[in-house]
Amino acid sequence: MRALLTKVEQDSRLDGAGDRLQKVVLGTLRPRRLRDLLHGVTLGHPLHPAMVQVPVGAWISAAVLDLMPGQRRPATVLVGLGTVSAVPAAVAGLNDWAALARDQRRVGLVHAAANTVGMALYAGSLAARLSGRHGMGRALGFLGLSTVSLGAYIGGHLAYKQGAQVNQSVSELHRMTDGWHSLADMATLPQRTLITREVDDNISVILYRHGDEVTVMLERCPHQSGPLGEGEVQEIDGHACVVCPWHGSAFRLNGGEVVQGPSGNDQQVLPTRIQNGVLQTRLP
Ligand code: FES
């Protein structure tokens, strides 16, 4: 299975369908606020993995009830709940998928296809149960559960092997040594300008001075490792934010909260102090 998914990552034959679907998703989910909501910007975490808990929980519970006598009615309710709640979860997933790298989109396409088949099987299961064909409803339900389990496995590959929608910058902290690190002489640090510096010679951070306050933030964008130091500073909702040059995620310079997707994760801001006129930073 792992070898097969590695082949999927490299299979350019999926790109035609993927590119067409991406256009449809981006053309349909146009309002930025809606896209940000679906990315999980308001939560500070991706929304799709949280939303799938409802259909998965309902469908697994229905499967357990299907193995017990006299549970047709609650099992039908749970299959209906799972099928209806899978729709917004799928929309959130498609929204994240449209902002992934090409190799991730290929695997994501197979993940979405498996789950679409699973949802169709559950819709058939619901229809069969509502028309009194409970044996057929149970059979389609078990088939649906097998298919969405395969989809979940592929989703796990996408998230944990390929790093889709996980925080790409946080591992920088694990490489940073303890103690204070000197970054810049305050006398020469310009106002309201993004400056890039390195900690431990290989961890890039950005500096942004506003008055006597200086923000120090990891440079690598949590979405896909874009260089925030090459981004712009913009005022968004009354806050100065750094906007990633790759896909437009924006993070508040005062605190690191994500205010604009596709990143669903906040950016890490580092503590600072000034010693003898020198700006220093350390691990949080
Ligand atoms: S790398 Fe995608 S928004 Fe920064």
mmCIF file of all heavy atoms in Angstrom, residues 99 221-228 244-251 260-263, ligand 1:
data_model
loop_
_atom_site.group_PDB
_atom_site.id
_atom_site.type_symbol
_atom_site.label_atom_id
_atom_site.label_comp_id
_atom_site.label_asym_id
_atom_site.label_seq_id
_atom_site.Cartn_x
_atom_site.Cartn_y
_atom_site.Cartn_z
ATOM 1 N N ALA A 99 -5.190 24.061 -2.189
ATOM 2 C CA ALA A 99 -3.997 24.875 -1.906
ATOM 3 C C ALA A 99 -2.777 24.008 -1.617
ATOM 4 O O ALA A 99 -1.776 24.508 -1.106
ATOM 5 C CB ALA A 99 -4.268 25.797 -0.713
ATOM 6 N N CYS A 221 7.019 29.674 6.481
ATOM 7 C CA CYS A 221 5.560 29.715 6.591
ATOM 8 C C CYS A 221 5.030 28.348 7.032
ATOM 9 O O CYS A 221 5.448 27.314 6.497
ATOM 10 C CB CYS A 221 4.960 30.087 5.234
ATOM 11 S SG CYS A 221 3.160 30.097 5.209
ATOM 12 N N PRO A 222 4.099 28.321 7.995
ATOM 13 C CA PRO A 222 3.588 27.023 8.460
ATOM 14 C C PRO A 222 2.794 26.264 7.395
ATOM 15 O O PRO A 222 2.608 25.056 7.520
ATOM 16 C CB PRO A 222 2.684 27.380 9.653
ATOM 17 C CG PRO A 222 2.497 28.834 9.617
ATOM 18 C CD PRO A 222 3.569 29.443 8.771
ATOM 19 N N HIS A 223 2.384 26.951 6.315
ATOM 20 C CA HIS A 223 1.586 26.264 5.295
ATOM 21 C C HIS A 223 2.452 25.349 4.432
ATOM 22 O O HIS A 223 2.305 24.132 4.475
ATOM 23 C CB HIS A 223 0.838 27.291 4.421
ATOM 24 C CG HIS A 223 0.056 26.659 3.316
ATOM 25 N ND1 HIS A 223 0.188 27.050 2.003
ATOM 26 C CD2 HIS A 223 -0.843 25.645 3.311
ATOM 27 C CE1 HIS A 223 -0.604 26.308 1.249
ATOM 28 N NE2 HIS A 223 -1.247 25.458 2.023
ATOM 29 N N GLN A 224 3.370 25.931 3.647
ATOM 30 C CA GLN A 224 4.210 25.120 2.764
ATOM 31 C C GLN A 224 5.649 25.604 2.775
ATOM 32 O O GLN A 224 6.351 25.506 1.772
ATOM 33 C CB GLN A 224 3.683 25.174 1.329
ATOM 34 C CG GLN A 224 2.273 24.668 1.124
ATOM 35 C CD GLN A 224 2.228 23.207 0.729
ATOM 36 O OE1 GLN A 224 3.135 22.723 0.107
ATOM 37 N NE2 GLN A 224 1.187 22.511 1.110
ATOM 38 N N SER A 225 6.073 26.196 3.887
ATOM 39 C CA SER A 225 7.471 26.635 4.068
ATOM 40 C C SER A 225 7.865 27.836 3.218
ATOM 41 O O SER A 225 9.048 28.033 2.923
ATOM 42 C CB SER A 225 8.459 25.485 3.779
ATOM 43 O OG SER A 225 8.193 24.404 4.598
ATOM 44 N N GLY A 226 6.907 28.631 2.789
ATOM 45 C CA GLY A 226 7.233 29.840 2.020
ATOM 46 C C GLY A 226 8.068 30.810 2.861
ATOM 47 O O GLY A 226 8.005 30.800 4.090
ATOM 48 N N PRO A 227 8.873 31.684 2.195
ATOM 49 C CA PRO A 227 9.760 32.617 2.920
ATOM 50 C C PRO A 227 9.020 33.882 3.350
ATOM 51 O O PRO A 227 8.861 34.811 2.549
ATOM 52 C CB PRO A 227 10.841 32.923 1.881
ATOM 53 C CG PRO A 227 10.144 32.768 0.562
ATOM 54 C CD PRO A 227 9.040 31.778 0.724
ATOM 55 N N LEU A 228 8.587 33.946 4.586
ATOM 56 C CA LEU A 228 7.837 35.125 5.046
ATOM 57 C C LEU A 228 8.691 36.394 4.962
ATOM 58 O O LEU A 228 8.158 37.498 4.811
ATOM 59 C CB LEU A 228 7.348 34.922 6.481
ATOM 60 C CG LEU A 228 6.295 33.821 6.686
ATOM 61 C CD1 LEU A 228 5.873 33.757 8.145
ATOM 62 C CD2 LEU A 228 5.076 34.046 5.801
ATOM 63 N N CYS A 244 2.416 35.936 3.341
ATOM 64 C CA CYS A 244 3.338 35.008 2.670
ATOM 65 C C CYS A 244 3.318 35.234 1.158
ATOM 66 O O CYS A 244 2.246 35.340 0.556
ATOM 67 C CB CYS A 244 2.933 33.568 2.994
ATOM 68 S SG CYS A 244 3.992 32.361 2.193
ATOM 69 N N PRO A 245 4.495 35.292 0.527
ATOM 70 C CA PRO A 245 4.532 35.565 -0.917
ATOM 71 C C PRO A 245 4.067 34.383 -1.771
ATOM 72 O O PRO A 245 3.837 34.549 -2.958
ATOM 73 C CB PRO A 245 6.020 35.858 -1.179
ATOM 74 C CG PRO A 245 6.754 35.139 -0.099
ATOM 75 C CD PRO A 245 5.852 35.159 1.104
ATOM 76 N N TRP A 246 3.960 33.190 -1.181
ATOM 77 C CA TRP A 246 3.612 32.032 -2.013
ATOM 78 C C TRP A 246 2.108 31.877 -2.218
ATOM 79 O O TRP A 246 1.640 31.778 -3.330
ATOM 80 C CB TRP A 246 4.196 30.745 -1.405
ATOM 81 C CG TRP A 246 5.669 30.617 -1.660
ATOM 82 C CD1 TRP A 246 6.494 31.557 -2.212
ATOM 83 C CD2 TRP A 246 6.489 29.474 -1.387
ATOM 84 N NE1 TRP A 246 7.768 31.083 -2.281
ATOM 85 C CE2 TRP A 246 7.804 29.803 -1.795
ATOM 86 C CE3 TRP A 246 6.262 28.225 -0.825
ATOM 87 C CZ2 TRP A 246 8.866 28.913 -1.666
ATOM 88 C CZ3 TRP A 246 7.312 27.337 -0.693
ATOM 89 C CH2 TRP A 246 8.597 27.679 -1.125
ATOM 90 N N HIS A 247 1.321 31.812 -1.155
ATOM 91 C CA HIS A 247 -0.129 31.597 -1.325
ATOM 92 C C HIS A 247 -0.970 32.577 -0.530
ATOM 93 O O HIS A 247 -2.181 32.393 -0.420
ATOM 94 C CB HIS A 247 -0.527 30.162 -0.910
ATOM 95 C CG HIS A 247 0.334 29.091 -1.504
ATOM 96 N ND1 HIS A 247 1.253 28.378 -0.762
ATOM 97 C CD2 HIS A 247 0.425 28.631 -2.769
ATOM 98 C CE1 HIS A 247 1.879 27.517 -1.546
ATOM 99 N NE2 HIS A 247 1.410 27.651 -2.763
ATOM 100 N N GLY A 248 -0.345 33.588 0.085
ATOM 101 C CA GLY A 248 -1.119 34.661 0.690
ATOM 102 C C GLY A 248 -1.573 34.468 2.126
ATOM 103 O O GLY A 248 -2.359 35.274 2.623
ATOM 104 N N SER A 249 -1.102 33.430 2.815
ATOM 105 C CA SER A 249 -1.461 33.336 4.242
ATOM 106 C C SER A 249 -0.915 34.555 4.971
ATOM 107 O O SER A 249 0.175 35.044 4.653
ATOM 108 C CB SER A 249 -0.864 32.072 4.876
ATOM 109 O OG SER A 249 -1.485 30.928 4.369
ATOM 110 N N ALA A 250 -1.671 35.047 5.951
ATOM 111 C CA ALA A 250 -1.249 36.243 6.683
ATOM 112 C C ALA A 250 -1.252 35.962 8.170
ATOM 113 O O ALA A 250 -2.157 35.299 8.690
ATOM 114 C CB ALA A 250 -2.179 37.416 6.353
ATOM 115 N N PHE A 251 -0.222 36.484 8.853
ATOM 116 C CA PHE A 251 -0.051 36.248 10.288
ATOM 117 C C PHE A 251 0.149 37.580 10.991
ATOM 118 O O PHE A 251 0.941 38.419 10.521
ATOM 119 C CB PHE A 251 1.167 35.347 10.546
ATOM 120 C CG PHE A 251 1.130 34.078 9.735
ATOM 121 C CD1 PHE A 251 1.735 34.025 8.483
ATOM 122 C CD2 PHE A 251 0.450 32.963 10.207
ATOM 123 C CE1 PHE A 251 1.682 32.868 7.720
ATOM 124 C CE2 PHE A 251 0.393 31.801 9.440
ATOM 125 C CZ PHE A 251 1.009 31.754 8.202
ATOM 126 N N GLN A 260 -5.522 34.913 7.732
ATOM 127 C CA GLN A 260 -5.896 34.686 6.349
ATOM 128 C C GLN A 260 -5.224 33.389 5.891
ATOM 129 O O GLN A 260 -4.038 33.184 6.146
ATOM 130 C CB GLN A 260 -5.353 35.876 5.540
ATOM 131 C CG GLN A 260 -5.880 36.027 4.144
ATOM 132 C CD GLN A 260 -5.479 37.385 3.593
ATOM 133 O OE1 GLN A 260 -6.104 38.405 3.887
ATOM 134 N NE2 GLN A 260 -4.440 37.419 2.800
ATOM 135 N N GLY A 261 -6.019 32.468 5.272
ATOM 136 C CA GLY A 261 -5.490 31.186 4.835
ATOM 137 C C GLY A 261 -4.736 31.285 3.533
ATOM 138 O O GLY A 261 -4.574 32.371 2.999
ATOM 139 N N PRO A 262 -4.262 30.146 2.995
ATOM 140 C CA PRO A 262 -4.675 28.789 3.321
ATOM 141 C C PRO A 262 -4.055 28.154 4.569
ATOM 142 O O PRO A 262 -4.458 27.056 4.946
ATOM 143 C CB PRO A 262 -4.238 27.994 2.085
ATOM 144 C CG PRO A 262 -3.085 28.752 1.539
ATOM 145 C CD PRO A 262 -3.400 30.199 1.796
ATOM 146 N N SER A 263 -3.087 28.776 5.220
ATOM 147 C CA SER A 263 -2.603 28.158 6.451
ATOM 148 C C SER A 263 -3.744 28.087 7.453
ATOM 149 O O SER A 263 -4.483 29.054 7.634
ATOM 150 C CB SER A 263 -1.460 28.987 7.054
ATOM 151 O OG SER A 263 -1.083 28.421 8.305
HETATM 152 S S1 FES B 1 3.621 28.688 1.819
HETATM 153 FE FE1 FES B 1 1.528 28.732 1.294
HETATM 154 S S2 FES B 1 0.819 30.513 2.258
HETATM 155 FE FE2 FES B 1 2.880 30.423 2.814
#
